C-alpha cells in the first residue's frame, strides 16, 4: 500500500484589513495548514480565526515561523544572532499554539517561512536555532522543510522528526533549491503545478528550470496560498492525486 501524502499550504498571511488568499476555501482541500505567526504576516485575530477554521475542518496546524519582517513579507534575509532567532521562533510557536488550543487542538509541526526557510537550510547555526526553539517548546513537534539540507541534519541530531517538502507551484534549480522569484518562470502556472505535484508524488523527482531532472524527496507537497489561482491549483492537485490512488493524509 502506498504511504499517505500530505498536501499543505501557507495560510493566515493577511494583516489587519489586508487579506491574502482564500484560506477558508484552501482549508477544504489541504491536510496541513502552515499558519503565519505574526512576524512575516498574520495578526492575533487572523491567527485565531485561521486556527478555528483549520480545527473545524480537521486540518492539522503548523507554525509558519519567519523573520520579523512584515514589510518584506519575510522574504528578506535578516542578520539575527542565532540565540535571538531561537527566542523569536519560540515566541511564534507559543503564540500560535495559544490560538490552536483555544480552538481545540495544538500546533503539531513547524515550517520556516521564506528567507528563513532558505537561510536555515544552508546555515547550521540558524538550523540549530530553529530546532532548539522546537525542542524547548515541545520535543514532539515535527519539522517540515527541504530534505537533504542542514535543517534535516540538525533535526536528526536533536532527534526531532523531519518531513521533507516539495513545492507544486515553484520551479527548481539543478541543486534542488527553489528558483528565486525574480527568475522568469519561477512561479508555475496551474497546469505546470499539477504536473509537477504528480511527478514529485509518483517518482520523487521533477524537472529544473533548464529541463533537467532533479530529485525532490518529499512526503508533503506545498501549494502557496498567495499563488495565482491557488485554490483551483490545490483542488486540481488533490483530485489528480486521488485519481492516481495516492492517499492524502497529514503527516502530523
Amino acid at each position: 500500500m502506498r504511504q499517505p501524502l500530505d498536501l499543505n499550504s501557507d495560510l493566515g498571511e493577511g494583516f489587519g484589513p489586508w487579506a491574502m488568499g482564500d484560506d477558508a476555501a484552501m482549508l477544504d482541500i489541504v491536510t496541513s495548514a502552515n499558519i503565519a505567526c505574526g512576524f512575516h504576516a498574520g495578526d492575533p485575530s487572523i491567527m485565531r480565526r485561521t486556527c478555528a477554521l483549520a480545527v473545524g475542518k480537521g486540518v492539522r496546524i503548523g507554525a509558519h515561523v519567519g523573520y520579523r519582517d512584515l514589510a518584506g513579507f519575510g522574504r528578506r534575509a535578516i542578520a539575527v544572532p542565532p540565540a535571538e532567532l531561537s527566542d523569536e521562533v519560540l515566541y511564534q510557536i507559543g503564540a500560535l499554539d495559544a490560538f490552536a488550543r483555544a480552538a481545540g487542538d495544538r500546533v503539531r509541526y513547524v515550517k520556516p517561512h521564506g528567507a528563513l526557510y532558505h537561510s536555515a537550510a544552508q546555515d547550521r547555526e540558524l538550523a540549530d536555532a530553529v530546532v532548539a526553539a522546537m525542542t524547548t517548546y515541545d520535543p514532539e513537534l515535527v519539522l517540515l522543510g527541504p530534505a537533504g539540507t542542514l535543517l534535516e541534519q540538525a533535526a536528526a541530531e536533536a532527534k526531532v522528526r523531519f518531513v521533507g517538502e516539495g513545492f507544486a507551484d515553484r520551479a527548481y534549480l539543478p541543486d534542488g533549491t527553489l528558483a528565486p522569484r525574480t527568475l522568469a518562470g519561477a512561479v508555475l502556472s496551474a497546469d505546470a503545478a499539477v504536473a509537477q505535484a504528480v511527478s514529485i508524488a509518483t517518482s520523487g523527482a521533477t524537472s529544473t528550470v533548464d529541463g533537467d531532472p532533479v530529485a525532490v524527496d518529499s512526503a508533503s507537497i506545498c501549494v502557496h496560498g498567495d499563488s495565482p489561482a491557488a485554490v483551483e491549483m490545490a483542488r486540481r492537485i488533490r483530485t489528480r492525486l486521488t485519481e492516481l490512488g495516492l492517499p492524502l493524509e497529514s503527516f502530523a
Side-chain angles (χ1 to χ4, degrees), residues 104-130:
D105 200 355
R106 61 184 175 85
V107 168
R108 296 174 179 268
Y109 67 95
V110 172
K111 173 185 169 180
H113 165 80
L116 180 58
Y117 187 94
H118 302 295
S119 297
Q122 300 169 7
D123 185 318
R124 183 56 193 266
E125 286 190 319
L126 299 183
D128 285 338
V130 171

Side-chain angles (χ1 to χ4, degrees), residues 172-177 208-210 212-214:
Y172 281 86
L173 296 176
D175 64 358
T177 60
T208 68
V209 288
D210 300 322
D212 297 320
V214 62

Side-chain angles (χ1 to χ4, degrees), residues 12 14 23 38 53 60 81 91 111 129 178 218:
D23 290 352
L53 282 170
R60 296 302 198 198
Y91 180 98
K111 173 185 169 180
L178 297 182
S218 167

Side-chain angles (χ1 to χ4, degrees), residues 228-241:
V231 173
E232 174 206 349
M233 187 184 296
R235 186 176 291 116
R236 287 178 58 191
I237 288 170
R238 181 173 184 124
T239 298
R240 185 64 186 131
L241 294 177

Side-chain angles (χ1 to χ4, degrees), residues 199-224:
S199 180
I200 291 173
T202 57
S203 69
T206 187
S207 296
T208 68
V209 288
D210 300 322
D212 297 320
V214 62
V216 181
D217 183 3
S218 167
S220 181
I221 294 177
C222 177
V223 177
H224 285 95

Side-chain angles (χ1 to χ4, degrees), residues 18-209:
W18 289 277
M20 176 75 79
D22 189 342
D23 290 352
M26 192 66 87
L27 285 166
D28 285 328
I29 302 166
V30 300
T31 50
S32 297
N34 321 312
I35 300 177
C37 303
F39 270 37
H40 78 275
D43 60 36
S45 294
I46 291 174
M47 291 162 68
R48 182 165 198 159
R49 183 166 63 249
T50 311
C51 283
L53 282 170
V55 173
K57 295 173 186 288
V59 176
R60 296 302 198 198
I61 294 172
H64 201 27
V65 300
Y67 286 122
R68 191 195 300 265
D69 181 28
L70 283 173
F73 197 62
R75 288 179 177 159
R76 301 180 294 188
I78 297 176
V80 181
E84 184 177 334
L85 175 64
S86 192
D87 288 342
E88 292 189 348
V89 171
L90 178 60
Y91 180 98
Q92 292 175 79
I93 296 170
L96 188 68
D97 193 48
F99 294 117
R101 290 179 183 275
D105 200 355
R106 61 184 175 85
V107 168
R108 296 174 179 268
Y109 67 95
V110 172
K111 173 185 169 180
H113 165 80
L116 180 58
Y117 187 94
H118 302 295
S119 297
Q122 300 169 7
D123 185 318
R124 183 56 193 266
E125 286 190 319
L126 299 183
D128 285 338
V130 171
V131 171
M134 293 173 60
T135 56
T136 297
Y137 191 83
D138 179 359
E140 298 303 313
L141 287 170
V142 182
L143 179 58
L144 177 64
T149 66
L150 295 179
L151 266 174
E152 183 175 14
Q153 187 180 107
E157 292 185 15
K159 295 181 171 55
V160 167
R161 182 183 166 208
F162 180 88
V163 172
E165 179 182 39
F167 289 86
D169 52 6
R170 293 290 307 282
Y172 281 86
L173 296 176
D175 64 358
T177 60
L178 297 182
R181 289 175 180 269
T182 53
L183 186 68
V187 178
L188 303 184
S189 67
D191 287 346
V194 174
Q196 178 155 288
V198 169
S199 180
I200 291 173
T202 57
S203 69
T206 187
S207 296
T208 68
V209 288

